[in-house]
Amino acid sequence: MSQRAAGRQAGIQTPLQECGPSAPLPADRVLGSGAVLFPGVFDQHGCPLVIFPADGQDRLLELSKAEVVDFINYFHALFNRKYEKQSLVSVVVDLRNASPPTPKFIMESLLLVQEHKRTIHSVYLIQPKKKDVVKPLLKLLNLSMSCSASFKTILLREIPELWNYIDRSQLPASLGGYFLYCHRSWVSFIKEIHAFVQEFLSVVQRLPSCISTLQALSRLPLPSSFSELQYFCCTNEAKFLQLRRELGLDELLKTL
């Protein structure tokens, strides 16, 4: 099985292009929390899904809204660069067992995402079971609809209603789907790819200078005597090895 195929089974989509130095990888505490996910699945509009799972909501409230916004923006930008297109994301929020602060935290985070530029296509909300959570949620939905940074919001009473908008092959088991997702594997994969990309960019930045040095060496006249030729080869081999160290090829290969 190829690495790409194996990655898909773990809920991984290979990011072929990075987000650039202006977009650092989200912090370990955010990636590892499992409170917000970007597993590489899609709704019926073809929008990649951001998922707020029910079992991560205690950890979600330990994060800041800014961290949630940065997470969504990072992976949204990564997706767009990989596929070389501008796609919106859709969001699935499982509020079945949510506590009162959770819907407010999530909705305000999503509004912050949308405030900068239009990023979110649709938000699928699975209705809370607790009545003291439902009423504040409805007020939040009315508020979001009145904002200029609005997005389409779909309130669902039960999980099966979600399947009208997202194929079950694109949903994890917690949402009644068949998609195999391992969060630990996803985090490990993302961090490995990020490390490789950063090392690759570092090599690319140093490459022009190294090429210029090699071109200068190639134009040197060859010595006429054997002893001078030995010295010439020894000296230039040392320069070549120094260039290799400066370029960082060995470090890059270690990340493969």
Side-chain angles (χ1 to χ4, degrees):
M1 182 184 292
S2 69
Q3 184 181 24
R4 187 172 182 179
R8 284 177 176 169
Q9 280 201 355
I12 295 164
Q13 297 291 325
T14 308
L16 299 180
Q17 300 183 42
E18 47 74 51
C19 283
S22 61
L25 188 70
D28 284 351
R29 64 189 295 270
V30 182
L31 285 175
S33 69
V36 53
L37 312 175
F38 195 95
V41 290
F42 304 85
D43 67 2
Q44 291 182 359
H45 297 289
C47 298
L49 293 177
V50 174
I51 300 177
F52 290 87
D55 62 3
Q57 288 171 6
D58 290 341
R59 298 182 295 279
L60 176 66
L61 297 178
E62 296 173 1
L63 306 178
S64 68
K65 293 171 191 172
E67 287 175 321
V68 173
V69 170
D70 288 345
F71 178 96
I72 294 173
N73 285 338
Y74 177 87
F75 286 103
H76 177 230
L78 197 65
F79 176 88
N80 283 344
R81 292 194 181 198
K82 172 185 173 180
Y83 290 101
E84 298 181 345
K85 66 177 183 178
Q86 293 300 311
S87 174
L88 301 178
V89 302
S90 289
V91 183
V92 177
V93 186
D94 188 351
L95 295 172
R96 284 175 294 174
N97 300 310
S99 60
T102 302
K104 185 173 187 293
F105 180 91
I106 293 175
M107 292 302 295
E108 288 180 352
S109 297
L110 296 180
L111 288 171
L112 286 173
V113 171
Q114 195 83 333
E115 192 176 76
H116 177 62
K117 70 171 185 176
R118 186 165 183 253
T119 300
I120 302 171
H121 182 279
S122 302
V123 178
Y124 307 100
L125 296 163
I126 302 168
Q127 185 172 300
K129 294 179 180 178
K130 302 173 184 176
K131 291 183 180 179
D132 62 336
V133 182
V134 174
K135 288 184 179 179
L137 174 62
L138 295 176
K139 290 182 180 179
L140 283 168
L141 294 181
N142 290 331
L143 177 64
S144 69
M145 291 175 66
S146 65
C147 290
S148 58
S150 62
F151 36 72
K152 185 178 181 181
T153 305
I154 302 162
L155 187 61
L156 309 166
R157 290 176 297 177
E158 297 177 349
I159 289 289
E161 293 181 24
L162 184 63
W163 307 338
N164 295 323
Y165 305 93
I166 305 170
D167 191 88
R168 294 177 73 181
S169 66
Q170 302 296 295
L171 294 169
S174 61
L175 295 171
Y178 316 125
F179 182 69
L180 299 178
Y181 178 78
C182 173
H183 187 65
R184 183 178 296 177
S185 297
W186 181 85
V187 171
S188 176
F189 182 82
I190 288 297
K191 291 171 77 171
E192 286 178 11
I193 288 295
H194 181 79
F196 171 79
V197 166
Q198 297 309 306
E199 193 62 42
F200 174 77
L201 288 176
S202 179
V203 169
V204 168
Q205 288 169 357
R206 295 192 293 269
L207 192 58
S209 174
C210 291
I211 290 175
S212 296
T213 302
L214 288 171
Q215 287 174 336
L217 290 173
S218 70
R219 290 192 288 268
L220 291 175
L222 290 175
S224 56
S225 69
F226 180 72
S227 59
E228 289 177 339
L229 183 60
Q230 279 185 314
Y231 177 76
F232 178 88
C233 292
C234 181
T235 301
N236 287 320
E237 183 180 6
K239 289 180 180 178
F240 174 77
L241 292 174
Q242 182 183 354
L243 282 175
R244 184 184 177 95
R245 287 193 295 270
E246 290 177 358
L247 194 56
L249 288 175
D250 294 331
E251 292 302 316
L252 178 62
L253 291 172
K254 287 178 184 177
T255 64
L256 293 176

